[in-house]
Amino acid sequence: MNLENVEDLYPLSPVQQGMLFHSLAAPHSGVYIGQCTCKLQGTLEPELLKRAWQTVIDRHTVLRTMFVWELDEPLQLVRQQVELPWHEEDWRDCPNPTADWEDFLARDRAKGFALDAAPLTSITLVRLADDTYRLVWTCHHAIVDGWSTPAIWNEIYAIYTAFRDNRPHDLPEPKPYRDYIAWLQEQDDSLARQFWTKALDGFAEPTPLPGARRIQDGAGVRWRSRYLPADLFASLQTFCRSHRLTLSTLVNGAWALLLSRYSSAEDVVFGTVVSGRSATISDVESRVGLFVNTLPMRVAIAESDSLVPWLKSLQDRALNIRNHETTSLSDIQTWCEIPAGENLFQSLVVFENRPAAPHTHALGFEVSDIDARDQSNYPFVLLAIPGEILELKAIFDSHLFPDEAAERILEQVETVLKGFVKSPQAELANISLLTASERQLLLHDWNQTQASLPEAKCIHHLIEAQADRVPDAVAIAYERQLLTYSELDRRANQ
């Protein structure tokens, strides 16, 4: 370990430890590599943008962080100075920029980062036309979470405009990530242990994934999105206001019901992501770093339960979880009855309730087509991203789910949400997973059994005809005895 150019050295958070473990176990899988992409159109000065990004790196210790794990426990080391990896490419003559862009993103994810070298982030700026660029910000999830993204972009835009106007920026000095680690170490986990032991008592087998099956020709992690119609999103918001529920509760409820129907279980567990930004931490909402945590959500589903009271109990459970949101998932695993070495849950639900995106009207260029791609170690992740409409996104292992299966799951989540709005007084048994096309297929298309029959014949004539066509086919099975059509016809003729 090079001890030159070192500003600080301190332990990892429990979530960072988990991400480090999975990243080292699969270094070229893209696990926990996040990519934020956008289109920039207008009068852009790439050199100023590069300087703005470097300034943000200089401001935040967590963006100059790397990891060392040769010691008794893994530590994070902050470099005093690092140079941001910045790449520029000119694609103005590229014949197929869309396909090349997807290929570039896949190669960029697979390349990943050397976790023992800072910084664990990079920028690539691709020029598509004289006034049009695509930017990808690639970063390891172990140093920043989704909540940090708008804060970083706000700083980028503020510093960029200050450089362009030849003036100093007026941003306040940021708080170091070390403060959060110190706060974590002060927490007492005795109450958390009692809570999680009781919450998971009797749960001993992970809930199966909906429709998962092994596929030989899978291509790794894939993404699929489904955008809810605007009128359905408006109805969901009205439903939430009427019954004092959150939209995240509805999404969690829809996923719990889906898991229950697929697994035929009345007791399911899936993962939920909490912000981890406790109000007891000063200026927590503006801090940059990894604060989120992944925790188990256990849900009981009785078909006779009424929908709204069931959703309210689910919301209360989520609120109780947040009282213990800093608990290490690895500790929870040791406190429950799931066998050692087996994941407590296989699916994850993420509701991206982030701060609003920053305004960009003063930059001189427009920022659009913003997209974020992340990859965890779970086989299926359901993301709900509210905005002008609600986006449902699936991140899934294509070795377990073909694209059409993931798309069908998203459609079924939408169908369940429609059922919530349509029948708020219904019992859970009456909330259907069947989409309109599936209902048509099951109740109508597959019931078209009309067929023309031959003119009336006696049964023994029909058996004789069948014996002529397929003499060796089994006609009768009784206990351990089998009779073919030829044998049946022969015995009937005695």
Side-chain angles (χ1 to χ4, degrees):
M1 179 174 61
N2 181 6
L3 294 180
E4 297 180 357
N5 190 27
V6 173
E7 179 175 323
D8 209 345
L9 187 69
Y10 48 89
L12 281 63
S13 73
V15 180
Q16 286 179 310
Q17 291 179 18
M19 290 184 178
L20 178 63
F21 170 81
H22 289 292
S23 298
L24 293 175
H28 300 294
S29 65
V31 65
Y32 291 114
I33 301 297
Q35 292 171 311
C36 181
T37 66
C38 61
K39 182 169 75 172
L40 312 176
Q41 193 163 22
T43 305
L44 171 69
E45 298 183 56
E47 188 58 34
L48 292 187
L49 188 61
K50 178 181 178 181
R51 287 177 55 198
W53 270 101
Q54 182 64 57
T55 303
V56 171
I57 297 289
D58 296 340
R59 281 170 50 80
H60 293 279
T61 57
V62 75
L63 298 179
R64 290 179 274 117
T65 292
M66 53 178 267
F67 300 98
V68 291
W69 53 89
E70 300 90 348
L71 308 175
D72 292 337
E73 66 170 329
L75 298 173
Q76 47 192 323
L77 183 150
V78 180
R79 293 294 186 193
Q80 290 177 333
Q81 295 178 327
V82 297
E83 182 177 351
L84 170 69
W86 176 276
H87 312 285
E88 292 187 35
E89 298 187 18
D90 192 334
W91 288 15
R92 281 177 286 187
D93 295 328
C94 179
N96 193 357
T98 301
D100 287 352
W101 180 249
E102 289 299 321
D103 180 63
F104 165 76
L105 291 179
R107 287 186 284 108
D108 185 51
R109 282 194 304 274
K111 181 173 61 177
F113 296 98
L115 297 176
D116 56 354
L120 301 178
T121 188
S122 66
I123 300 290
T124 300
L125 186 65
V126 177
R127 191 167 195 173
L128 301 176
D130 290 348
D131 64 346
T132 306
Y133 298 80
R134 278 244 178 230
L135 182 143
V136 56
W137 168 29
T138 306
C139 189
H140 199 283
H141 198 4
I143 61 172
V144 293
D145 55 22
W147 189 284
S148 303
T149 303
I152 291 174
W153 280 113
N154 266 324
E155 291 195 8
I156 295 294
Y157 298 153
I159 295 169
Y160 177 89
T161 53
F163 285 159
R164 186 197 59 194
D165 299 341
N166 293 314
R167 58 175 174 80
H169 67 78
D170 55 358
L171 296 174
E173 190 69 20
K175 302 290 194 303
Y177 187 64
R178 165 186 266 282
D179 292 353
Y180 171 66
I181 299 297
W183 178 84
L184 274 182
Q185 293 176 326
E186 294 172 355
Q187 306 308 303
D188 181 2
D189 69 350
S190 58
L191 291 178
R193 179 167 187 161
Q194 295 176 23
F195 171 81
W196 288 111
T197 301
K198 181 178 180 181
L200 296 170
D201 181 43
F203 191 84
E205 185 177 356
T207 305
L209 288 168
R213 57 188 176 87
R214 178 59 59 181
I215 303 169
Q216 296 299 326
D217 58 349
V221 174
R222 294 178 66 82
W223 293 261
R224 282 293 181 272
S225 287
R226 185 175 186 87
Y227 297 88
L228 269 60
D231 58 342
L232 174 57
F233 186 33
S235 297
L236 290 170
Q237 291 172 310
T238 301
F239 182 93
C240 288
R241 288 192 296 268
S242 299
H243 300 287
R244 295 184 178 180
L245 295 165
T246 64
L247 193 56
S248 62
T249 298
L250 268 60
V251 174
N252 283 333
W255 187 248
L257 198 58
L258 197 71
L259 287 179
S260 175
R261 295 285 174 81
Y262 269 97
S263 64
S264 299
E266 296 183 344
D267 186 13
V268 301
V269 171
F270 56 91
T272 183
V273 174
V274 294
S275 72
R277 293 176 180 260
S278 170
T280 60
I281 305 173
S282 64
D283 302 320
V284 67
E285 292 189 357
S286 62
R287 288 179 181 256
V288 172
L290 178 69
F291 295 83
V292 296
N293 196 9
T294 301
L295 298 170
M297 171 73 78
R298 185 180 186 181
V299 184
I301 301 102
E303 293 289 271
S304 59
D305 285 343
S306 296
L307 175 62
V308 171
W310 177 74
L311 288 172
K312 288 187 175 180
S313 69
L314 186 60
Q315 182 162 284
D316 290 341
R317 190 172 298 110
L319 290 173
N320 288 334
I321 284 175
R322 287 176 186 166
N323 293 327
H324 307 279
E325 64 181 3
T326 62
T327 313
S328 164
L329 181 58
S330 60
D331 286 342
I332 296 173
Q333 294 251 164
T334 65
W335 300 335
C336 73
E337 300 171 31
I338 296 291
E342 192 167 0
N343 285 332
L344 177 55
F345 47 83
Q346 301 184 55
S347 63
L348 189 64
V349 177
V350 183
F351 191 87
E352 295 199 344
N353 192 15
R354 300 177 180 177
H359 296 291
T360 61
H361 57 273
L363 292 171
F365 56 87
E366 293 295 325
V367 181
S368 61
D369 295 350
I370 300 173
D371 188 29
R373 295 186 182 183
D374 204 352
Q375 179 179 333
S376 75
N377 61 302
Y378 295 100
F380 196 99
V381 179
L382 172 67
L383 282 85
I385 308 169
E388 294 183 3
I389 56 176
L390 181 65
E391 177 187 1
L392 298 177
K393 181 183 286 189
I395 306 174
F396 57 97
D397 183 350
S398 65
H399 293 99
L400 294 175
F401 298 92
D403 291 352
E404 58 271 19
E407 291 166 358
R408 181 169 179 264
I409 289 172
L410 292 179
E411 187 177 11
Q412 289 179 322
V413 172
E414 178 183 334
T415 300
V416 173
L417 291 173
K418 285 180 181 177
F420 288 173
V421 171
K422 183 179 179 181
S423 307
Q425 307 306 320
E427 294 182 351
L428 296 185
N430 296 323
I431 303 296
S432 176
L433 266 63
L434 292 179
T435 64
S437 59
E438 290 170 336
R439 186 177 294 277
Q440 173 68 28
L441 185 66
L442 290 173
L443 301 183
H444 299 283
D445 297 354
W446 285 354
N447 277 324
Q448 300 299 318
T449 57
Q450 300 90 340
S452 58
L453 298 175
E455 59 185 46
K457 290 185 178 180
C458 296
I459 184 65
H460 62 282
H461 292 150
L462 294 174
I463 291 174
E464 287 175 351
Q466 188 75 346
D468 290 338
R469 284 194 298 269
V470 284
D472 297 326
V474 175
I476 295 177
Y478 176 71
E479 293 184 346
R480 296 186 178 182
Q481 300 182 47
L482 301 176
L483 284 181
T484 64
Y485 277 101
S486 63
E487 292 170 333
L488 177 62
D489 185 47
R490 180 176 56 80
R491 292 194 183 189
N493 290 333
Q494 291 178 350

